[in-house]
Amino acid sequence: MDYQTQMKMKRFFRQPLLTYLLLSTQILLFILMTFNGGSTNTTTLIEYGAKFNPFIVWGQWWRLITPMFLHIGWMHLLINSVILYFLGIELENYFGHWRFGLIYLLSGFAGNVASFAFNNSISAGASTAIFGLFGASLVLGKLYPYNPAVQQMARNFLTLVIINLVFGVFDSSIDLSGHIGGFVGGYLISTAISVKETSSTVLKKRISYAGLFLLSIGLMIALGYWKVQLVL
């Protein structure tokens, strides 16, 4: 392989490939839903994997993952896609492809688990994972305390999180528990897999954050199952 080919491959793999893949996936699913009853149709949402608590209890555990790729209405898709595009480009560059992907997926999962535990409504949207990316940006602020660009990014996203949470308190259509769960999950898992230092003290901290993440997930799943069983 010649030098120019190597450089082209390096430039290609430096692109935010996972961000593009995630965007493409949610846009494709939205198109499919549009031609199969519409993205605001409850039956279509459930068919494509939206979070529906009774079905999760009955064994359809994938509904704790698939909702992060679905959206309810084109405005919902547009807003989340724009945020994912700009935020994903930044964070995938800092964390790298696989860490960024892990943060996104586990944050979305944590947000959906929190929604399962505290919200009985049908829900879908990438915002659970996006709030996890907000949490990850705060971790970057701690990892790069002397980088002005990172510090400014962390402050901006923290402000955006606060604004969204305030609106969520007064808007019943917003899955506030999913947003909070995603944010906390993103913060915990980002700390657990960060690669800034490798000392034994930092390693213990990462293990403790990973353990806290897993413990929180377990407790919320148990709570969600218990609440649904009470109703059934």
Side-chain angles (χ1 to χ4, degrees):
M1 185 180 298
D2 58 37
Y3 176 75
Q4 287 187 341
T5 303
Q6 290 179 350
M7 293 304 294
K8 287 180 180 178
M9 289 185 65
K10 286 182 179 179
R11 284 195 294 269
F12 173 77
F13 285 108
R14 286 197 192 106
Q15 297 297 313
L17 302 178
L18 278 180
T19 299
Y20 296 152
L21 177 61
L22 292 168
L23 283 168
S24 300
T25 300
Q26 63 189 37
I27 291 171
L28 175 60
L29 286 170
F30 184 83
I31 293 172
L32 291 174
M33 291 172 66
T34 299
F35 288 100
N36 189 30
S39 64
T40 59
N41 184 288
T42 301
T43 302
T44 303
L45 281 167
I46 294 176
E47 179 183 346
Y48 275 78
K51 192 219 72 174
F52 185 51
N53 290 0
F55 283 10
I56 294 173
V57 171
W58 295 338
Q60 297 184 10
W61 55 266
W62 58 85
R63 292 181 184 275
L64 296 173
I65 300 171
T66 50
M68 73 181 83
F69 302 107
L70 308 176
H71 289 85
I72 306 172
W74 68 269
M75 183 60 70
H76 190 205
L77 173 70
L78 177 62
I79 293 173
N80 279 347
S81 295
V82 170
I83 297 174
L84 173 57
Y85 176 77
F86 289 104
L87 187 54
I89 287 175
E90 291 290 338
L91 295 187
E92 191 169 350
N93 177 56
Y94 280 106
F95 282 106
H97 301 310
W98 77 265
R99 288 186 177 84
F100 170 79
L102 198 59
I103 291 167
Y104 189 89
L105 294 175
L106 290 180
S107 297
F109 174 68
N112 289 324
V113 169
S115 179
F116 172 59
F118 300 107
N119 184 356
N120 295 326
S121 302
I122 296 172
S123 63
S127 52
T128 52
I130 288 173
F131 267 77
L133 298 185
F134 289 150
S137 71
L138 298 187
V139 174
L140 276 182
K142 294 169 61 179
L143 293 175
Y144 299 94
Y146 304 111
N147 186 318
V150 172
Q151 292 300 309
Q152 185 62 47
M153 179 179 67
R155 286 193 294 269
N156 290 343
F157 289 139
L158 179 59
T159 302
L160 190 58
V161 167
I162 293 172
I163 292 173
N164 274 274
L165 292 179
V166 170
F167 273 104
V169 171
F170 298 100
D171 188 347
S172 59
S173 67
I174 294 176
D175 189 351
L176 185 61
S177 57
H179 290 180
I180 295 174
F183 179 77
V184 174
Y187 185 89
L188 292 175
I189 203 63
S190 299
T191 304
I193 67 173
S194 60
V195 293
K196 184 68 174 177
E197 300 177 35
T198 57
S199 66
S200 59
T201 302
V202 173
L203 181 59
K204 290 178 181 178
K205 179 181 179 182
R206 291 179 186 167
I207 293 174
S208 65
Y209 273 74
L212 185 57
F213 177 86
L214 294 174
L215 177 62
S216 301
I217 292 294
L219 290 175
M220 287 190 294
I221 288 177
L223 177 60
Y225 269 80
W226 177 72
K227 289 175 67 176
V228 173
Q229 292 290 357
L230 283 181
V231 175
L232 298 178

